[in-house]
Amino acid sequence: MNSPSQSQAPLQAPKGTRDFYPEDMRVQNHLFDVWRRACLDFGFEEYEGPTFENLELFTEKSGQEIVTQLYNFKDKGDRDIALRPEMTPTLARMVNQKGNSLKLPLRWFSIPRLFRYEKSQRGRLREFFQLNMDIIGCESIAAEVDLLSAIIGMLKAFGLDSKDFSIQVSSRRLLSEFLDRQGVAADKKAPVYAALDKRAKLGETEFRNLLAKEGLTPASIDAIEAFFKCKGLEELKAYFPASAASEEAAAPDTASASVPGAPAPKVAKSGLWELEKLFEYMHALGYGDYLNLDLSVVRGLAYYTGIVFEVYDKGIGMRAVAGGGRYDNLLASLGGNSLTGVGFGMGDVVLADLLREKNLLPSGREPLDYFLVDVSPNDSKLPNPQLMLLAQKLRAEGRRVGYSLSGEKVKKQMSQANDQGAGRVLFFGSDKGTEGRYEVKDLKTGEQSVSAFEDL
């Protein structure tokens, strides 16, 4: 009869999660290193928050229906808790807690581990990492330009270019203005946005039925479908007065402006004006080939208010690599100051798949500078203490050093040196070495020499 240990299959990781073996961690660290370097190059500062939050933080922003997409539970204090499914609400809470003590604009980034209870499929897991970059407190289109430039810069650092990915850009503000013209009430816009976000996944009949349920007339639905087919800024201008593209869409409050000492009233820019400025700046920076107008980009989250964008792999399937946009009301809706925000998230799963297909991921482990091979007589099956001391001295000088832990034969030690990617082998106890001098072999060229410690 088999014992339990013999008959039971090994336990597996939970569905939708991953194990990171050393070769997987090499890939993961490469992603994180390029992400972090790009963020720092653009002047962003890193932050982090708790892995779990009060459930209210997410239901306050997205409604109770979000609970079906979360990992949530009651803790031992009978509090409703959720593992974070995204980072923006945590960012908003942290900024709100500090209030006016923070100097604006904020340029923050984070690489959190996130959790979503959804169907596992290619490029989408239940546990994943995501780069988040956000600018808080900048009302101008410069924030969007900066973030899109950062995205392009970091993807180029991975070895990708305009033939590999594109950034599809739209505007919630422009869509809102268009829906106003179609007579869609303000309280109906959120479900219409949700329907439009699902448009690519629905058949035409189902899509029209969904909009009809929200009270849109057949004529309005026809107009929306025609509007979504616009492929350039010139086509968009036909839907809006010429002044909308070049002037502010809202007139200033003349009553308050006439009060002596009153602050200058804020004047809203139209959605078309913002899109024109965005494309103008990105072309000036040499990034015009990366951007396309795509009004089908709506983004499902309700808090977006302005420019929205998604980054797509140009290969088969057009996978979304990243997405984000402007959220002007989120911090205020969570009890904070009325601060604007622009941000995006880029997941590690799809990005790694894309880089793997392009053969742009690192291969092999991090190499050692030296592997110390003990050629002196040793029957103890333990490393020579003097060899270990030499390794310690070399590491203190900034070298990566390895050696055998079990006093093996020279042939097996050489095999370990190759397996660990050592650049050089130092033969400890060689009769060619003298006090403070060591026989060294370069494993790439095969050249051997005798070097003083200072030369190592």
Side-chain angles (χ1 to χ4, degrees):
M1 183 175 178
N2 292 335
S3 66
S5 61
Q6 292 174 318
S7 61
Q8 292 179 358
L11 289 173
Q12 302 294 312
K15 187 175 182 179
T17 66
R18 292 169 290 175
D19 294 312
F20 290 91
Y21 291 92
E23 58 270 24
D24 303 311
M25 283 307 303
R26 287 197 290 271
V27 170
Q28 204 69 1
N29 287 334
H30 174 64
L31 299 185
F32 291 178
D33 289 346
V34 175
W35 277 349
R36 186 169 280 111
R37 186 166 62 249
C39 292
L40 295 175
D41 286 348
F42 272 76
F44 284 69
E45 295 183 286
E46 190 165 9
Y47 74 98
E48 178 58 291
T51 303
F52 55 88
E53 292 272 12
N54 292 312
L55 178 61
E56 182 184 6
L57 181 65
F58 305 110
T59 56
E60 184 75 17
K61 176 184 71 67
S62 303
Q64 285 295 326
E65 61 273 11
I66 193 69
V67 176
T68 61
Q69 303 169 31
L70 304 179
Y71 279 94
N72 62 296
F73 56 92
K74 292 271 189 183
D75 70 4
K76 293 183 179 180
D78 201 36
R79 290 172 286 259
D80 288 312
I81 299 295
L83 298 180
R84 60 190 182 192
E86 57 170 318
M87 200 64 181
T88 309
T90 294
L91 169 66
R93 177 185 58 72
M94 290 172 63
V95 173
N96 286 346
Q97 284 179 193
K98 286 285 187 177
N100 294 328
S101 65
L102 294 171
K103 292 184 178 180
L104 302 176
L106 305 178
R107 299 159 65 84
W108 288 4
F109 80 94
S110 186
I111 307 176
R113 187 190 293 261
L114 303 176
F115 307 85
R116 291 180 189 165
Y117 190 79
E118 57 188 358
K119 183 179 179 180
S120 298
Q121 53 188 300
R122 186 188 179 195
R124 189 180 292 272
L125 298 175
R126 292 178 174 180
E127 179 192 44
F128 57 97
F129 291 89
Q130 180 173 288
L131 169 67
N132 283 76
M133 294 180 74
D134 291 85
I135 299 176
I136 304 294
C138 176
E139 297 182 1
S140 80
I141 201 71
E144 284 90 340
V145 172
D146 202 53
L147 283 177
L148 293 179
S149 298
I151 291 173
I152 294 170
M154 72 177 62
L155 291 180
K156 289 178 70 175
F158 281 116
L160 301 169
D161 59 30
S162 59
K163 72 177 184 296
D164 301 308
F165 71 94
S166 65
I167 303 178
Q168 309 297 101
V169 179
S170 184
S171 168
R172 276 286 189 88
R173 195 184 314 280
L174 185 79
L175 180 55
S176 177
E177 293 166 3
F178 179 75
L179 293 178
D180 287 339
R181 292 166 180 264
Q182 300 304 314
V184 178
D187 62 345
K188 291 290 184 181
K189 286 183 179 179
V192 169
Y193 292 152
L196 292 170
D197 188 51
K198 300 174 184 175
R199 182 171 178 265
K201 301 175 183 178
L202 303 174
E204 181 180 350
T205 301
E206 188 177 355
F207 172 68
R208 293 182 69 90
N209 289 341
L210 204 55
L211 291 182
K213 288 179 181 178
E214 300 302 331
L216 273 70
T217 65
S220 293
I221 297 173
D222 289 341
I224 288 174
E225 291 197 318
F227 179 70
F228 265 60
K229 292 177 182 177
C230 290
K231 297 300 182 184
L233 295 175
E234 291 303 317
E235 289 184 55
L236 282 181
K237 291 178 182 179
Y239 285 88
F240 298 93
S243 60
S246 57
E247 300 176 4
E248 290 80 5
D253 182 348
T254 54
S256 61
S258 63
V259 178
K266 291 182 180 179
V267 181
K269 301 294 194 298
S270 73
L272 183 54
W273 184 93
E274 289 177 335
L275 282 171
E276 283 194 307
K277 281 296 176 185
L278 178 67
F279 277 86
E280 176 187 327
Y281 271 78
M282 295 302 288
H283 276 281
L285 292 171
Y287 294 145
D289 290 343
Y290 292 90
L291 261 64
N292 294 302
L293 178 70
D294 185 352
L295 298 182
S296 69
V297 174
V298 178
R299 305 288 295 161
L301 296 172
Y303 56 70
Y304 288 118
T305 57
I307 296 289
V308 287
F309 55 87
E310 291 184 351
V311 183
Y312 282 98
D313 159 26
K314 282 187 173 181
I316 298 173
M318 283 289 288
R319 293 166 295 185
V321 179
R326 179 171 287 273
Y327 47 93
D328 285 341
N329 307 316
L330 178 60
L331 276 76
S333 71
L334 294 174
N337 293 330
S338 181
L339 293 175
T340 63
V342 183
F344 75 87
M346 179 182 293
D348 68 318
V349 182
V350 173
L351 177 60
D353 286 345
L354 173 58
L355 296 176
R356 189 173 292 109
E357 291 170 9
K358 302 286 184 180
N359 294 317
L360 293 173
L361 288 176
S363 59
R365 62 187 295 170
E366 286 292 324
L368 295 172
D369 294 308
Y370 290 98
F371 191 94
L372 309 188
V373 172
D374 191 354
V375 298
S376 63
N378 183 6
D379 297 324
S380 68
K381 302 300 181 183
L382 291 170
N384 186 312
Q386 294 303 311
L387 178 146
M388 296 175 73
L389 181 61
L390 175 60
Q392 184 176 315
K393 290 179 178 178
L394 287 170
R395 288 168 183 154
E397 296 295 330
R399 301 294 179 264
R400 293 177 176 174
V401 182
Y403 52 80
S404 171
L405 300 177
S406 52
E408 296 168 316
K409 299 290 186 182
V410 171
K411 185 176 180 180
K412 287 191 174 181
Q413 293 182 66
M414 291 295 293
S415 178
Q416 285 188 37
N418 284 308
D419 289 344
Q420 296 188 33
R424 295 177 177 83
V425 164
L426 184 151
F427 296 101
F428 182 83
S430 167
D431 55 10
K432 294 184 180 180
T434 57
E435 185 67 29
R437 296 177 66 82
Y438 304 94
E439 183 182 2
V440 177
K441 180 178 181 178
D442 188 312
L443 293 184
K444 291 183 179 178
T445 65
E447 295 181 1
Q448 292 190 215
S449 60
V450 177
S451 302
F453 176 82
E454 292 76 13
D455 297 328
L456 299 179

